[in-house]
Amino acid sequence: MTHDWKAIDAAVRVEPGKKSKLRARDCIGADLFPEREAAEEALKECAKAIDELQDRLWAERSRALLVILQGIDTSGKDGTVRGVFNKCGPLGVNVTAFGKPSEDELAHDYLWRVHMAVPKKGMIGVFNRSHYEDVLVVKVRGLAPAEAIEQRYAQINAFEKHLSENGVTLLKFMLHISKEEQRERLQARLDEPESNWKFNPSDLEDRKLWDEYQAAYETLLDRCSTAHAPWRVVPADKKWRRNAIIAAIVHGALEEMAPAYPRVDWRPSDFKVE
Ligand code: ADP
């Protein structure tokens, strides 16, 4: 590996207990993977290594990895899943997209559907949106009482602590794009016939609430970046750099987990395959 994942991680991490200063964070991240070619090379290497480590994780079957992707419309959540986990066998990675809650989901507490989707031991789980929508869209659009939302930050921290104490490593990424980049990506959905289907007029409504969403993101980053589950704010205006950064951190974190193939307590030479 030619990149220093720890340095990259330190640059994008929100230190627990400190202010995230979201508005001061740039969306380009030119110092992290300055060259596109090197970034694409690193992405390929990391994606392959993630697959190998996932195989060990499954063999070990005692821990899980949960990758949470959050970001405003067009920030590239789907593209990240495709770019970072495309070398992984489909048996080892579970992707869950959280949309508007169903009637049944709304009849439960907001963490119910989330807990059900937490990856089982041996798996990598990827959340495309998550319980953080319950302090984002729900807050910005006033879908729950303000006092109830206010209590959720501590509830989320407790929930994530519970998971981390029960064998789940959490990696939380906010894909940080600029307002101008979002304008271009939304426009592209209108201009390119193959992308028309991705356009949703409600995205324009949410775009009008850009400042409110940024404020809601800043609050959750300030309050829910914890020692057991810190947030990373990933510069995401450049798709290739976004993927390289996230793959480097997922790979680094998996290496630190150091999953190992179990040792058997019998000798293979005692058996003969006829
Ligand atoms: P995406 O935009 O992620 O590609 P969708 O078009 O299905 O996928 O959008 C999902 C929608 O569901 C988003 O508008 C999001 O704000 C909304 N959503 C997700 N979680 C919740 C929630 N807990 N309460 C209300 N709306 C939610």
Side-chain angles (χ1 to χ4, degrees), residues 58-247:
W58 178 249
E60 207 186 50
R61 236 163 292 182
S62 61
R63 295 171 294 165
L65 178 70
L66 173 57
V67 176
I68 295 179
L69 302 176
Q70 278 291 158
I72 209 123
D73 293 320
T74 75
S75 60
K77 300 181 289 295
D78 293 342
T80 301
V81 177
R82 211 174 299 122
V84 175
F85 298 99
N86 64 4
K87 290 280 184 296
C88 289
L91 289 174
V93 179
N94 247 334
V95 183
T96 309
F98 290 96
K100 287 194 178 66
S102 67
E103 207 177 314
D104 194 29
E105 288 167 347
L106 280 175
H108 292 84
D109 76 277
Y110 69 99
L111 290 175
W112 177 74
R113 66 173 183 166
V114 180
H115 206 159
M116 299 250 283
V118 169
K120 63 181 175 188
K121 290 168 183 163
M123 299 289 289
I124 296 178
V126 183
F127 283 0
N128 181 339
R129 303 185 188 268
S130 66
H131 44 296
Y132 284 98
E133 291 295 326
D134 293 284
V135 289
L136 284 163
V137 61
V138 173
K139 184 180 198 183
V140 170
R141 295 204 172 267
L143 304 178
E147 314 82 71
I149 297 170
E150 181 58 29
Q151 291 176 323
R152 290 183 176 175
Y153 301 98
Q155 290 166 353
I156 288 172
N157 289 344
F159 170 63
E160 292 179 352
K161 186 151 193 281
H162 166 83
L163 294 181
S164 74
E165 288 172 353
N166 284 278
V168 182
T169 297
L170 290 103
L171 295 175
K172 304 188 296 197
F173 297 100
M174 178 204 172
L175 313 185
H176 188 33
I177 60 165
S178 61
K179 197 172 181 187
E180 177 54 21
E181 181 66 20
Q182 192 198 42
R183 195 192 64 72
E184 282 176 25
R185 292 185 188 183
L186 285 173
Q187 189 61 48
R189 289 180 179 184
L190 293 172
D191 294 344
E192 295 160 11
E194 322 78 67
S195 300
N196 286 167
W197 65 274
K198 290 192 209 165
F199 182 77
N200 184 341
S202 81
D203 293 350
L204 297 182
E205 294 304 310
D206 274 340
R207 181 169 165 80
K208 284 191 195 129
L209 296 166
W210 179 271
D211 290 341
E212 287 82 350
Y213 272 106
Q214 294 297 310
Y217 265 108
E218 185 150 26
T219 303
L220 74 83
L221 293 168
D222 288 350
R223 296 178 67 176
C224 297
S225 199
T226 54
H228 53 271
W231 271 103
R232 275 88 173 180
V233 179
V234 179
D237 272 6
K238 294 273 175 256
K239 297 172 183 173
W240 52 267
R241 184 176 287 129
R242 171 203 76 205
N243 283 354
I245 292 169
I246 295 176

